[in-house]
Amino acid sequence: MGNCYDVIVAGGGTAGTAAAIAASRRNHKVLLIEEQNCLGGTSTSGGVGEWFASLEGTGNIFDAVVAGLEKFGARFAKPRHFNPEVLKSVWQFMAEEAGVQILFHSSVCGAECSEHALSRIEIASCSRLFSAEAKFFVDATGEGDLSVLAGAQFMQGEPDTRKVLHMSLVAWMYDTGTLQTPYLPASLEPVRSREELPGLGAGVLVDRNRVYLNATKVLDHDPTDPWSLSDAEREARHQLLRVVHYLQTHEYPTFALASSGARIGIREGRRIIGDYVLARSDILDRREPLDFEDGVAVATSQIDFHSLKKTGNSGWRQAVLPYSIPLRCMLAKGFANLAVAGKCISVDQVVHSSCRMTPTCCAMGQAAGTVAALATEQGVVDLRDVPISSLRQTLNADGMELNPARHTGFAPHDTRLDADDYVGT
Ligand SMILES: Cc1cc2nc3c(=O)[nH]c(=O)nc-3n(C[C@H](O)[C@H](O)[C@H](O)COP(=O)(O)OP(=O)(O)OC[C@H]3O[C@@H](n4cnc5c(N)ncnc54)[C@H](O)[C@@H]3O)c2cc1C
């Protein structure tokens, strides 16, 4: 059976690639399915070149990513920034070395279940539909596509309004060394001041000749609705032209646009309901770090909740002590063989704003791939039957510090909750 695997991972972003590597390097047959032409997702094809969490104790897959970028000279003078273009190669080499079978240009578009387990998935690619089977699946599609296709329950956005954090088309500029002639189509309004710039970090000089634009702010769109997503891309492109025009006119007269994300950056889509939903009441205002017996990754970033209403850089930013992410948040409720990793795990919207960061997604991916690998080795049919001690020992041996008290929280900003920023209760 050519299309039968031990583990199928849907989505080759940070979490999915880490999951596939973790399972494949233990000699399991692993298929990694990715819609785009490269691995790394938001942090490569999305252009997001910054880590916003503690970088230590995150597992040997994340360590290898950092080391790989260093070998290529692809970390910038600002040490949390890196070159997403190079990261594509780093991830690909790591996946190839681990023996992962990679399927690019392919979308998971259907799922078949029997007796509370996922058995087969449908894949669309090159105008063809075909299927593949596996013992275990990892949904790392960012928006939880595979789980939803299988019939899993999910949450989205703020409970009443379903509003999600804004989307951004991230971009990069480079220094041409000669004065540019800024141009803005007449239909677009020029940005007049830095305060009017849409988004967060428009124009961060990360190296001598390179500027990072974590810019554009598309509010009130739904990344899981094709029409709304498409509309968001159009609006973001308009905003990007206005941002570049402003920067060329006011701050970087010799810089030109180098690249923008192959797809708009989606901070928040669906969150798949697992055996447990980690809530903000679990993680806020604690005296000591939150630990769980089934903790399989540690989140270290502050709450980073961009305002759902206001443009610009406003939002709720608050330090939290490092906290465990329990395996229960990564097991799709009602499914024996479906793990979820990355930004679509089972947490509420506020926790999501903290645990969605790239290093944390990498750790979750490593945990999801490892639990699927151990389940295969131990001959169990339900991921819940893998003894948690063996999973945690394996992760520990693979460089993951699972005790949140041994992590350092990451909280560079503090702009406490403003009633206008968060519409939830
Ligand atoms: C604009 C923006 C700025 C950010 N800034 C930072 C920052 O400064 N620091 C930080 O640490 N984090 C930041 N984040 C958060 C972080 O980048 C993401 O949360 C993280 O990279 C998500 O990783 P993931 O693997 O869960 O999902 P993704 O990286 O989104 O990967 C999902 C992958 O699945 C693929 N896919 C989707 N659906 C399917 C399907 N049906 N079939 C096959 N493949 C599919 C996608 O193509 C993608 O490659 C930012 C996010 C955004 C959007």
Side-chain angles (χ1 to χ4, degrees), residues 315-355:
W316 170 17
R317 275 123 197 166
Q318 182 178 334
V320 291
L321 291 173
Y323 58 93
S324 280
I325 297 176
L327 181 64
R328 284 168 288 164
C329 289
M330 293 172 44
L331 299 177
K333 193 174 171 183
F335 291 85
N337 62 347
L338 176 57
V340 180
K343 66 183 178 181
C344 48
I345 65 160
S346 180
V347 292
D348 75 9
Q349 195 187 22
V350 175
V351 177
H352 177 271
S353 77
S354 146
C355 74

Side-chain angles (χ1 to χ4, degrees), residues 121-419:
I121 59 168
E122 289 290 322
I123 302 162
S125 183
C126 304
S127 307
R128 283 171 51 193
L129 273 180
F130 50 99
S131 62
E133 294 174 15
K135 294 178 192 141
F136 297 98
F137 296 82
V138 177
D139 182 352
T141 57
E143 280 65 67
D145 290 10
L146 173 57
S147 307
V148 171
L149 289 165
Q153 295 167 270
F154 65 92
M155 306 164 268
Q156 187 167 345
E158 192 279 327
D160 295 334
T161 63
R162 283 174 54 95
K163 271 176 186 273
V164 292
L165 297 185
H166 69 274
M167 290 181 255
S168 296
L169 184 61
V170 169
W172 293 78
M173 294 174 79
Y174 72 104
D175 193 355
T176 64
T178 54
L179 211 55
Q180 299 296 291
T181 311
Y183 167 70
L184 191 66
S187 57
L188 299 179
E189 185 79 13
V191 175
R192 282 177 300 269
S193 66
R194 192 145 250 290
E195 291 64 47
E196 274 186 22
L197 284 169
L200 312 167
V204 178
L205 189 67
V206 296
D207 227 338
R208 199 173 39 83
N209 57 359
R210 219 176 294 234
V211 159
Y212 177 54
L213 284 76
N214 183 350
T216 75
K217 181 161 188 173
V218 182
L219 289 160
D220 298 321
H221 282 69
D222 180 352
T224 65
D225 175 276
W227 302 102
S228 187
L229 181 60
S230 181
D231 202 42
E233 293 279 12
R234 290 192 307 106
E235 182 179 332
R237 184 78 53 197
H238 290 166
Q239 288 187 16
L240 180 59
L241 289 182
R242 296 173 62 230
V243 171
V244 170
H245 179 262
Y246 174 85
L247 293 175
Q248 287 179 327
T249 313
H250 292 80
E251 296 178 12
Y252 297 104
T254 57
F255 281 64
L257 184 61
S259 64
S260 62
R263 142 186 195 164
I264 195 168
I266 300 171
R267 286 189 174 75
E268 182 191 358
R270 303 184 193 96
R271 287 167 281 121
I272 302 304
I273 296 187
D275 291 352
Y276 184 70
V277 180
L278 192 61
R280 69 171 164 155
S281 53
D282 289 323
I283 69 162
L284 284 179
D285 304 323
R286 293 186 59 87
R287 294 198 174 168
E288 54 194 44
L290 173 65
D291 201 0
F292 287 103
E293 279 183 4
D294 62 337
V296 291
V298 172
T300 53
S301 163
Q302 63 178 47
I303 300 291
D304 196 40
F305 199 96
H306 308 297
S307 173
L308 296 176
K309 292 181 178 170
K310 292 188 246 163
T311 56
N313 194 8
S314 53
W316 170 17
R317 275 123 197 166
Q318 182 178 334
V320 291
L321 291 173
Y323 58 93
S324 280
I325 297 176
L327 181 64
R328 284 168 288 164
C329 289
M330 293 172 44
L331 299 177
K333 193 174 171 183
F335 291 85
N337 62 347
L338 176 57
V340 180
K343 66 183 178 181
C344 48
I345 65 160
S346 180
V347 292
D348 75 9
Q349 195 187 22
V350 175
V351 177
H352 177 271
S353 77
S354 146
C355 74
R356 67 192 172 88
M357 302 307 168
T358 307
T360 318
C361 288
C362 188
M364 288 189 235
Q366 181 167 345
T370 305
V371 74
L374 292 181
T376 309
E377 287 156 35
Q378 294 169 9
V380 299
V381 291
D382 194 322
L383 291 165
R384 293 157 187 82
D385 292 333
V386 172
I388 199 69
S389 57
S390 74
L391 174 59
R392 280 170 56 98
Q393 271 164 21
T394 307
L395 292 172
N396 220 250
D398 287 339
M400 214 182 283
E401 176 52 76
L402 292 174
N403 181 351
R406 295 212 192 100
H407 282 262
T408 309
F410 182 75
H413 312 298
D414 189 351
T415 53
R416 289 304 161 105
L417 176 59
D418 174 325

